[in-house]
Amino acid sequence: MTANATRVLVLNSGSSSLKYQLLDMQAGTRLAVGLVERIGEESSRLAHTPLATGGERRETEGAIADHTAALKAVAAELAADGLGLDSPELAAIGHRVVHGGLKFTEPTVIDDAVLAEIERLVPVAPLHNPANITGIRTARALRPDLPQVAVFDTAFHTTMPEYAARYAIDVETADAHRIRRYGFHGTSHAYVSRKTAELLGKDPAEVNVIVLHLGNGASASAVAGGRCVDTSMGLTPLEGLVMGTRSGDIDPAVTFHLKRVAGMSEDDVDVLLNKKSGLIGLCGDNDMREIRRRIDEGDEQARLAFDIYIHRLKKYIGAYSAVLGRVDAVAFTAGVGENAAPVREAAIAGLEEMGMAVDASLNAVRSGEPRLISPEYARVAVAVVPTDEELEIAQQTYALVNA
């Protein structure tokens, strides 16, 4: 890597989307951000914002056939701003990869063997890893000379002790089929737990944090001294909290019951629990803003969905307080966690005996900065910490290629 190669392109490939950011790691600035969506459809859209030049957001619409075409379109947008993929200042491309199993516990330079292992993990991440793989292959084809780094959602959670990661099923069966709790949103939990410690003016090694990553997908983690000791998502991102379209925790026998009594196939149950459950299954909406609007209008179905969502959150806050023994902070992050004040208020309400409280005036403030929303007398700090998964991926990628 040349001395002036200080830029990292971060790619987050979904099944029909491609999010990207270009960052200058030496200057600590974002140079460009963008999103390609509806890949493979006639109405594909690319939204690109050239932050380096202070330019306005540009949007183009039209058919983008596949991820190769999408990345080429992104490269053309970047080149138009003097930020092309052929620039000698580009040090590496960092890829978000959802599932790394037990093999990948840290950022990893991608070669053929690494890509093959990520492919072998597809059965435990069928909704995510295939899209991540497509993005990697496309980027490698465009810049085969450039280091490509995989940063895994699961890596931060590999510090969990065996008694937290193991399910209570036959050991031989579990080992043969890689069945255990892996956890997800790891880059967010790592970033937010570290930023929460900074907010408190302490070293991460001194702080115990419960991180609540609440978006359409949602997960909780117990972080002791900078290391994850438990997390709510499991073998897949289905377990744990109530989410936008996912059920979260559920009696496994429900699946057998639905097959026997309702005649549903495995695929039917999969779709039900992953895409037709959670908030959208409970009330028909998975947008918390719309749910709160309906509650304000007296909609009882929306109220019930909200109450179920909050009840599950409280259970995990209580459980992880017990796991950690001492809690220094509870940190809310991601789309709902950062923006839905009623969710934060309701999740902490009634936990005063555990040292947790929310100050209503502080909670009502909207800001893009990390901030405390608990009163000064509270034993446990309650914080809102905006996540930045792209920055975390870029930092890990840059550190690896520099090393």
Side-chain angles (χ1 to χ4, degrees):
M1 187 174 75
T2 59
N4 65 339
T6 60
R7 297 175 181 172
V8 173
L9 176 64
V10 175
L11 298 179
N12 182 350
S13 301
S15 57
S16 61
S17 66
L18 176 64
K19 297 178 185 177
Y20 63 94
Q21 289 195 15
L22 181 65
L23 304 94
D24 188 311
M25 306 311 296
Q26 194 170 70
T29 57
R30 283 177 173 79
L31 304 176
V33 301
L35 166 67
V36 187
E37 56 187 351
R38 301 193 295 271
I39 296 172
E41 300 179 19
E42 291 184 3
S43 58
S44 306
R45 184 175 72 95
L46 192 162
H48 174 84
T49 305
L51 301 175
T53 60
E56 295 184 357
R57 173 186 170 111
R58 303 194 297 264
E59 290 193 14
T60 56
E61 294 196 5
I64 297 178
D66 51 29
H67 282 73
T68 299
L71 191 52
K72 286 181 177 178
V74 169
E77 292 289 345
L78 291 170
D81 301 312
L83 304 169
L85 296 190
D86 58 350
S87 169
E89 296 179 72
L90 187 60
I93 298 177
H95 297 266
R96 180 200 179 203
V97 179
V98 168
H99 215 308
L102 289 180
K103 185 177 180 66
F104 300 114
T105 61
E106 56 190 17
T108 304
V109 175
I110 300 168
D111 57 20
D112 290 343
V114 168
L115 189 56
E117 182 63 25
I118 295 171
E119 287 182 311
R120 279 195 285 272
L121 289 164
V122 166
V124 289
L127 300 178
H128 299 91
N129 271 32
N132 302 154
I133 291 165
T134 299
I136 291 168
R137 283 182 173 150
T138 300
R140 290 182 82 197
L142 288 180
R143 281 299 306 269
D145 58 311
L146 199 66
Q148 312 264 339
V149 175
V151 178
F152 299 91
D153 268 19
T154 50
F156 182 64
H157 304 302
T158 57
T159 57
M160 283 191 294
E162 279 294 284
Y163 56 75
R166 284 271 182 183
Y167 291 112
I169 66 172
D170 172 65
V171 172
E172 290 186 3
T173 301
D175 288 348
H177 301 286
R178 307 184 187 193
I179 299 172
R180 60 186 290 116
R181 175 171 285 107
Y182 292 100
F184 300 90
H185 296 144
T187 52
S188 178
H189 287 279
Y191 179 86
V192 170
S193 59
R194 190 173 65 251
K195 284 294 180 181
T196 302
E198 290 180 13
L199 185 62
L200 299 181
K202 297 182 179 181
D203 188 287
E206 302 173 348
V207 178
N208 289 356
V209 186
I210 297 172
V211 178
L212 302 173
H213 177 108
L214 308 179
N216 193 50
S219 59
S221 68
V223 183
R227 293 168 62 86
C228 178
V229 295
D230 207 346
T231 192
S232 59
M233 285 180 167
L235 174 72
T236 75
L238 179 59
E239 187 179 1
L241 302 175
V242 175
M243 303 176 225
T245 65
R246 300 178 203 146
S247 66
D249 292 339
I250 192 169
D251 181 349
V254 169
T255 61
F256 315 143
H257 180 77
L258 290 172
K259 291 175 72 174
R260 285 194 299 262
V261 176
M264 295 177 71
S265 68
E266 291 177 4
D267 288 344
D268 292 336
V269 175
D270 191 322
V271 170
L272 172 69
L273 297 182
N274 276 293
K275 298 182 179 180
K276 297 182 178 180
S277 296
L279 291 172
I280 204 162
L282 289 168
C283 70
D285 271 310
N286 63 333
D287 187 321
M288 187 59 70
R289 294 165 296 187
E290 181 64 16
I291 290 170
R292 289 302 310 177
R293 184 193 65 77
R294 288 171 55 185
I295 290 172
D296 291 342
E297 294 178 353
D299 189 318
E300 290 303 315
Q301 198 66 33
R303 166 58 68 182
L304 178 60
F306 183 81
D307 289 347
I308 293 170
Y309 182 94
I310 295 298
H311 180 70
R312 187 77 56 83
L313 264 180
K314 283 183 182 287
K315 286 175 68 174
Y316 270 92
I317 293 171
Y320 286 172
S321 296
V323 167
L324 290 170
R326 185 197 83 245
V327 180
D328 298 300
V330 176
F332 290 87
T333 193
V336 175
E338 294 170 28
N339 297 297
V343 169
R344 300 191 296 260
E345 179 183 9
I348 300 299
L351 304 183
E352 290 80 8
E353 291 297 318
M354 297 170 63
M356 302 175 192
V358 165
D359 180 290
S361 59
L362 294 175
N363 190 37
V365 173
R366 295 183 67 88
S367 171
E369 297 298 318
R371 61 199 185 277
L372 295 177
I373 59 170
S374 47
E376 290 186 5
Y377 64 78
R379 188 173 73 251
V380 178
V382 180
V384 180
V385 181
T387 192
D388 198 332
E389 295 176 89
E390 287 77 17
L391 177 59
E392 183 72 15
I393 292 169
Q395 288 175 335
Q396 293 188 27
T397 297
Y398 191 63
L400 179 59
V401 297
N402 265 323

